[in-house]
Amino acid sequence: MEQPHVIVLFGATGDLARRKLLPGLLRLFEAGLLEDARIVGTSLEDVDTEHFVAFAREACEEFGKGDVTDERWAPFGSTLSYVSQSAGPSALAAAVKEAEDSLDVDAAEISRLHYLSVPPKAALDVLRQLDEAGLVERSRIIMEKPFGTDLASAQKLNHRVHEVFDESQVFRIDHFLGKEAAQNILAFRFANGLFEPIWNRNFIDHVQIDVPETLGLEGREKFYESTGAYRDMVVTHLMQVLAFMAMEPPTSLAPGPISDEKLKVFRSMRPIEPHNVVRGQYAGYRGKPDVSDESDTDTFVALKVEIDNWRWAGVPFFLRTGKKLAEGARVISIAFKEPPLAMFPAGSNAGMQGPDHLTFDLADQSRMSLSFYGKRPGPGMKLEKLSMQFATHDTASSSGVLEAYERLIHDAMRGDHTLFTTAAGIETLWDLSRPLLADPPPVRSYAPGSWGPNAIHQLIAPHAWRLPF
Ligand code: BG6
């Protein structure tokens, strides 16, 4: 039996709410995980409940699964209400009270979940409003990434959060950690005896974490002008996934031990120096509304990360992500070292450069593959690259499997911090980013549909970027 909840969604008419949160809440509702719940939407827009309900339905039709018929929509739609943030804290408090009263249970039994789907700067305002509205008790808050835009702003935000909420009430979300495939990294590493012994500098040559996207900013230019790809994707998603790849085995899978081990990875990382980073911006970005003609915002970033600990010293991690690239993928690729002696005849593996790889695909239909050399059938000794592929669940369609946001909202409702990030981890990452943020290399233009600026090849040389699937 799920606990009764009032969910207050800040940024309720924004892009994330439309694409992910509202369709996700509908799915949780239909899965019976939001049984006794009311959802209060709020944002800076002055609209009424009727307008918001229509907006939410359109969002679920466009980005959710299956047809949203009247019969299907009615039970969920009736849980929604809206109050404009500009109406002030007392109006917000009244809207939450009304939602609670309609639940028909003792108010003391109702938990509140405030989802702050707002940019870092606006989060301070929301915290003040929640405080003034008296919406701190019986409450948890989910805070969206990026958490701050640099070390000072993250510290200020954490400080302010702790003036209002206890850390046990705070859930800093990074939806990549809610992806089935990201958690599968932990299962793969720590539930098997086969791979962990070779998971280190003696056997691994380098690692790539590659998240190219075909989508452009498409209306999110204003948000990007104050963030950019490094803050939006690298210091958040890519680093969190890197920590799962690189961490030592935790003493248990409880939230504390996992966060401790991730933090040790961040603390072992070298500061991110500008010469290890290539920043890019797709041609045409500067012409968009909300973008200055001289904008230096990165819509692409590639970098080399080095971890100075016993497991990883000398093993570079190459990270790449960007908008409007040639293909969309979310791939982690581990390149193993070449054997110590080349005993096969010269030319036997002609045209098949590169070492053997283990690859994780973090897409919704997640996959793993292992590629290695074998003998090509026929006369003589010629080699060929072979591959073993493992498809895990089709998370997008298997019923009962929650998508990342759905899982994490449900975890926060239950008070489970395991897949959330911590203040210390985030501040360490901002601290490491200081050299880059103080002196970022200028953005290089790249053509939409390409793989980003050419300089990325020098960054990774003598290796090469690879997308194996
Ligand atoms: C979001 C970023 O957090 O993640 C977006 O703000 C990005 O810019 C998105 O497109 C990618 O998420 P996913 O789940 O589609 O890989």
Side-chain angles (χ1 to χ4, degrees):
M1 177 75 188
E2 300 293 324
Q3 199 180 2
H5 263 87
V6 169
I7 299 177
V8 184
L9 180 54
F10 290 86
T13 54
D15 188 68
L16 181 65
R18 200 165 69 93
R19 282 176 193 274
K20 298 284 185 185
L21 304 180
L22 291 164
L25 288 169
L26 170 62
R27 204 161 131 85
L28 281 176
F29 180 81
E30 292 183 331
L33 300 172
L34 271 188
E35 252 171 317
D36 258 348
R38 295 287 179 271
I39 297 162
V40 180
T42 182
S43 79
L44 296 176
E45 277 192 49
D46 274 323
V47 296
D48 57 13
T49 291
E50 198 185 331
H51 180 103
F52 176 60
V53 173
F55 169 86
R57 181 167 175 173
E58 272 167 36
C60 294
E61 273 161 5
E62 192 172 353
F63 297 105
K65 295 191 181 83
D67 284 347
V68 183
T69 57
D70 288 349
E71 295 71 46
R72 185 177 166 206
W73 180 252
F76 178 71
S78 67
T79 69
L80 302 176
S81 62
Y82 184 86
V83 57
S84 170
Q85 236 180 295
S86 51
S90 49
L92 180 64
V96 171
K97 174 145 190 345
E98 195 181 323
E100 289 186 352
D101 289 348
S102 74
L103 274 173
D104 212 19
V105 280
D106 187 357
E109 286 173 31
I110 303 174
S111 294
R112 299 160 178 160
L113 181 68
H114 308 300
Y115 196 124
L116 276 58
S117 173
V118 298
K121 268 195 192 147
L124 288 170
D125 265 355
V126 174
L127 288 167
R128 186 184 41 74
Q129 267 207 330
L130 287 171
D131 196 8
E132 286 173 15
L135 294 175
V136 175
E137 258 187 21
R138 299 188 271 118
S139 294
R140 299 190 176 105
I141 56 168
I142 298 184
M143 304 195 65
E144 255 303 328
K145 45 113 315 232
F147 194 90
T149 50
D150 58 13
L151 179 59
S153 58
Q155 284 172 331
K156 183 171 167 195
L157 192 50
N158 274 323
H159 182 74
R160 184 66 190 126
V161 167
H162 291 145
E163 280 178 347
V164 182
F165 290 96
D166 185 76
E167 179 62 20
S168 62
Q169 296 174 281
V170 185
F171 294 78
R172 296 175 190 77
I173 196 166
D174 190 301
H175 81 275
F176 267 48
L177 295 183
K179 288 181 188 279
E180 283 282 329
Q183 292 162 67
N184 199 30
I185 298 170
L186 299 184
F188 182 86
R189 288 190 57 196
F190 304 131
N192 299 299
L194 180 58
F195 292 100
E196 201 50 27
I198 58 168
W199 210 258
N200 57 52
R201 64 190 303 276
N202 297 323
F203 297 91
I204 292 179
D205 186 75
H206 67 279
V207 177
Q208 292 184 27
I209 302 179
D210 212 354
V211 184
E213 296 182 278
T214 50
L215 208 67
L217 268 316
E218 264 117 272
R220 294 173 76 219
E221 286 84 0
K222 193 162 175 205
F223 168 65
Y224 248 56
E225 281 298 282
S226 61
T227 49
Y230 182 79
R231 290 179 169 96
D232 180 39
M233 298 292 291
V234 177
V235 85
T236 52
H237 304 321
L238 273 61
M239 290 297 190
Q240 292 297 331
V241 169
L242 181 151
F244 269 14
M245 291 297 302
M247 69 195 239
E248 295 300 315
T251 49
S252 80
L253 290 180
I258 290 189
S259 300
D260 288 350
E261 294 307 333
K262 283 166 59 190
L263 183 59
K264 282 192 221 161
V265 173
F266 299 146
R267 288 193 171 145
S268 312
M269 275 166 45
R270 291 194 196 167
I272 311 294
E273 299 291 344
H275 66 260
N276 281 332
V277 180
V278 174
R279 297 171 69 241
Q281 185 185 82
Y282 59 77
Y285 174 79
R286 284 187 189 164
K288 295 286 178 199
D290 297 320
V291 179
S292 102
D293 289 347
E294 271 140 49
S295 167
D296 184 52
T297 297
D298 44 321
T299 62
F300 172 100
V301 62
L303 66 155
K304 178 162 106 171
V305 171
E306 294 157 293
I307 305 175
D308 281 341
N309 65 15
W310 277 50
R311 191 185 279 265
W312 296 115
V315 180
F317 284 65
F318 297 101
L319 278 45
R320 172 173 70 169
T321 185
K323 307 291 184 200
K324 278 208 194 250
L325 296 180
E327 269 174 51
R330 306 171 191 92
V331 170
I332 305 172
S333 198
I334 295 153
F336 291 98
K337 291 201 160 154
E338 309 258 359
L341 282 178
M343 45 166 76
F344 290 88
S348 59
N349 65 349
M352 291 179 295
Q353 297 305 307
D356 33 350
H357 283 90
L358 176 67
T359 308
F360 294 86
D361 185 349
L362 302 186
D364 290 336
Q365 282 188 304
S366 61
R367 284 174 296 176
M368 282 184 283
S369 81
L370 187 62
S371 70
F372 47 87
Y373 287 106
K375 183 188 174 300
R376 180 181 299 170
M381 178 50 100
K382 290 259 192 280
L383 301 179
E384 66 180 348
K385 223 33 185 310
L386 305 173
S387 164
M388 292 200 285
Q389 297 231 6
F390 314 90
T392 54
H393 305 280
D394 171 355
T395 58
S397 64
S398 5
S399 56
V401 178
L402 297 178
E403 280 197 354
Y405 276 104
E406 297 156 9
R407 168 194 313 276
L408 294 173
I409 292 172
H410 187 240
D411 282 359
M413 286 167 62
R414 294 182 305 129
D416 182 348
H417 275 95
T418 311
L419 296 173
F420 290 84
T421 63
T422 62
I426 290 169
E427 287 182 14
T428 306
L429 288 169
W430 284 126
D431 192 26
L432 290 165
S433 307
R434 278 204 288 186
L436 173 68
L437 298 182
D439 186 18
V443 287
R444 295 164 192 257
S445 180
Y446 62 93
S450 70
W451 282 108
N454 280 335
I456 60 168
H457 303 299
Q458 285 134 38
L459 182 76
I460 201 170
H463 317 293
W465 296 98
R466 75 187 280 275
L467 278 179
F469 288 104

